[in-house]
Amino acid sequence: MAASLVEDFARRVSSFRAQDDEKLQWMNAAQAQLTEVVRKYNDSCNDLERERIAGRETQKRATELESRLLGLQKSVEDSSFVLVLIDADADEYIFQDEFYQGHDGGRKAAWNLQTCVKDYFEKSEPDLASMPVVVKAFANGDGLSKFLANSVVTKHSTSLWDFAKGFSQSHALSDFVLVGNGRDRADKKIKGVFEQFVRNPTCRHIIFGACHDNGYVRMLEDFAFDSTVVDRITLLLSFNVGQEFKKLPFRCTRMEKVFRTTLPSHLRITKAVSYAENPRVDDSRLTTRKTWAALAGSDRTSDEGVAPIMVERPPRSNVLVNEQGHRIDEALPQPSPSALDSWNHKVKVANMRYCRMYHLNDSCQGECGYSHGPLSDGEKLVYRVMLRGEVCHTGLKCRDAKCHYRHNCLCKKQRCKFPVEMHGIDRASAKVWIS
């Protein structure tokens, strides 16, 4: 019996021990779960506190940024302006004569320009009409003063300085800048100012007064497809607008109360360049066609040795050569009076020097030092006639289709600056020579 009691006791002890182990495991598992819940709770509390702190900082930062943004917006609005850029060289942007009369005339020009600009915006964009107008006019002082004196607009060349002072002193934001002598100095100034302000948020609009020179088109083309810029540019047209400007998408306007719309007769010098005395033909007749064979065989001559026949120019790769291998010049028509007047104004009065390669050969890439400003077909004809008055040093063997100099002369003069071998050339056998 004693053995049975011991065994029973041992079994009970083992059973109690197993129960205690199970309870201990359950309590350990419960403790681990509770510890994890407490950790997550503490993490959540910490995260929430951080979010609260970050939210307060974000709100504070947002308030500060909003305040700064409002301040910047107000600053931009308070400093906003419209910009007027004028290429005031002796070319197509010529002020009315009355404005060039000394200091008072300059003041009147500036005030009238300011008034015209505000009137334009009142009709097109009323929001801009009350904004300050910044005027930047640039001119070659030496060339413009000489032009005004020669054309009897002013009594002396020093009058331009009085005009410029009056213009600049009339208004705090109006400047007439005399950039000094030299090619394209005004152009560089205008391009520099334009590029500085075209994307400046304080510059709400630009009135661009340099539409006579196609050299500016390349600059404007960079913004032709930018809708944020297109609506902020207006082209101020003169009486002679470059052809390429007509393709740009910008709006246009004129200010006839300030600038001339035509070249006045007293600014023309018709005797600055001498040509044949035969009646000149109108530019509109230059399209009359005549075959090269008929041209070569023509015996109509002027005192310059070239018959004034209207012809269609040959392909650039072709020239006329007779059976003896002598280069034959195509005849050129005589320029019209209006083309002569315009050319003389630009070259003899405004002292412009045009690039032959650009205007006559379409081959200059720029940076040549000569003007690429617009020339009409009539003015280009004058240019070709002038070059035809010079001897080609290659002479009768020249095969350069882009050569505009003279290779033969039909005159009957005993003394002529062209070599003897260039006279009496057979023109009847001329044929197209293909390079």
Side-chain angles (χ1 to χ4, degrees):
M1 180 169 179
S4 175
L5 180 61
V6 171
E7 292 177 356
D8 182 58
F9 181 79
R11 283 194 301 270
R12 287 183 177 276
V13 169
S14 297
S15 174
F16 292 154
R17 184 176 296 166
Q19 292 177 2
D20 289 342
D21 290 341
E22 182 180 357
K23 292 178 182 178
L24 183 60
Q25 290 178 358
W26 178 85
M27 287 188 290
N28 288 336
Q31 181 183 14
Q33 293 177 359
L34 181 60
T35 300
E36 180 65 17
V37 169
V38 171
R39 186 188 65 78
K40 290 182 178 180
Y41 171 78
N42 291 333
D43 289 345
S44 298
C45 290
N46 292 334
D47 291 342
L48 180 59
E49 184 64 22
R50 282 195 297 270
E51 289 295 330
R52 288 176 180 174
I53 295 174
R56 285 194 293 269
E57 291 296 325
T58 300
Q59 183 62 39
K60 181 180 178 181
R61 181 63 173 168
T63 302
E64 292 176 353
L65 291 176
E66 182 179 6
S67 177
R68 290 180 60 184
L69 178 60
L70 293 175
L72 288 173
Q73 289 178 338
K74 187 176 186 305
S75 176
V76 170
E77 292 175 359
D78 292 343
S79 57
S80 291
F81 63 94
V82 295
L83 176 64
V84 181
L85 281 176
I86 305 293
D87 186 340
D89 271 340
D91 216 322
E92 274 69 27
Y93 289 87
I94 303 175
F95 286 90
Q96 298 287 353
D97 290 2
E98 60 183 288
F99 295 138
Y100 287 112
Q101 306 308 314
H103 187 275
D104 290 339
R107 292 176 62 87
K108 291 178 182 178
W111 281 111
N112 274 270
L113 181 56
Q114 291 268 344
T115 301
C116 287
V117 171
K118 290 183 179 295
D119 290 344
Y120 167 73
F121 284 121
E122 285 179 357
K123 296 177 182 178
S124 61
E125 292 189 59
D127 292 343
L128 303 181
S130 60
M131 291 188 176
V133 179
V134 177
V135 179
K136 297 288 185 182
F138 299 95
N140 178 332
D142 297 340
L144 182 57
S145 60
K146 180 180 178 181
F147 159 70
L148 295 175
N150 290 344
S151 58
V152 201
V153 174
T154 59
K155 295 182 179 179
H156 351 206
S157 59
T158 56
S159 297
L160 175 62
W161 306 101
D162 294 332
F163 166 84
K165 286 189 292 185
F167 191 100
S168 300
Q169 293 173 2
S170 66
H171 192 277
L173 301 179
S174 295
D175 293 309
F176 193 97
V177 182
L178 301 176
V179 296
N181 197 15
R183 297 188 187 96
D184 301 328
R185 291 187 183 274
D187 299 25
K188 291 181 179 179
K189 289 286 188 180
I190 289 174
K191 289 179 180 178
V193 175
F194 179 87
E195 292 171 355
Q196 179 184 6
F197 288 107
V198 67
R199 295 192 182 279
N200 190 318
T202 61
C203 182
R204 300 287 296 279
H205 203 93
I206 297 177
I207 296 180
F208 189 79
C211 300
H212 62 295
D213 188 346
N214 285 328
Y216 292 112
V217 173
R218 305 288 86 78
M219 176 185 72
L220 293 171
E221 281 180 340
D222 293 339
F223 306 97
F225 300 100
D226 189 339
S227 59
T228 62
V229 176
V230 169
D231 294 336
R232 295 175 54 240
I233 296 177
T234 296
L235 302 180
L236 177 60
L237 304 183
S238 68
F239 58 79
N240 184 13
V241 180
Q243 290 296 320
E244 295 186 51
F245 281 92
K246 299 177 182 179
K247 302 177 183 178
L248 297 176
F250 309 110
R251 71 183 80 173
C252 302
T253 188
R254 296 181 185 271
M255 296 184 181
E256 300 177 0
K257 294 181 180 180
V258 180
F259 301 99
R260 283 192 170 275
T261 56
T262 60
L263 183 65
S265 59
H266 71 276
L267 297 184
R268 299 176 182 174
I269 301 178
T270 59
K271 296 183 180 180
V273 180
S274 176
Y275 293 95
E277 296 179 358
N278 293 351
R280 299 185 180 98
V281 297
D282 186 81
D283 292 343
S284 61
R285 296 175 58 195
L286 297 182
T287 57
T288 303
R289 296 173 180 245
K290 197 169 184 67
T291 65
W292 282 94
L295 169 63
S298 174
D299 58 358
R300 294 178 56 199
T301 62
S302 69
D303 63 351
E304 291 219 333
V306 178
I309 302 174
M310 280 57 69
V311 300
E312 181 183 25
R313 292 186 60 82
R316 285 298 184 186
S317 60
N318 295 345
V319 297
L320 284 177
V321 177
N322 64 14
E323 291 180 351
Q324 291 75 37
H326 298 157
R327 168 80 174 262
I328 302 297
D329 292 323
E330 77 275 16
L332 296 176
Q334 297 249 348
S336 68
S338 60
L340 283 172
D341 291 341
S342 178
W343 175 267
N344 285 318
H345 162 65
K346 291 182 175 181
V347 174
K348 298 296 181 179
V349 179
N351 294 319
M352 298 297 292
R353 295 294 179 268
Y354 291 96
C355 175
R356 173 177 59 84
M357 300 300 292
Y358 175 81
H359 289 289
L360 303 185
N361 295 337
D362 301 322
S363 59
C364 182
Q365 301 300 319
E367 302 299 332
C368 65
Y370 294 90
S371 176
H372 287 189
L375 289 177
S376 67
D377 290 340
E379 291 168 338
K380 290 179 181 179
L381 173 60
V382 177
Y383 201 174
R384 288 199 295 270
V385 171
M386 290 183 61
L387 292 173
R388 184 62 65 81
E390 302 297 328
V391 180
C392 173
H393 296 294
T394 307
L396 297 172
K397 296 182 180 180
C398 178
R399 297 295 184 267
D400 183 2
K402 295 182 179 181
C403 178
H404 297 280
Y405 300 109
R406 182 173 293 189
H407 306 88
N408 43 84
C409 181
L410 301 179
C411 77
K412 305 297 183 180
K413 299 176 182 178
Q414 293 183 350
R415 301 182 62 182
C416 179
K417 70 177 182 178
F418 293 93
V420 175
E421 61 270 19
M422 286 189 175
H423 292 76
I425 304 301
D426 173 26
R427 295 166 62 86
S429 63
K431 296 181 180 179
V432 175
W433 180 85
I434 302 177
S435 58

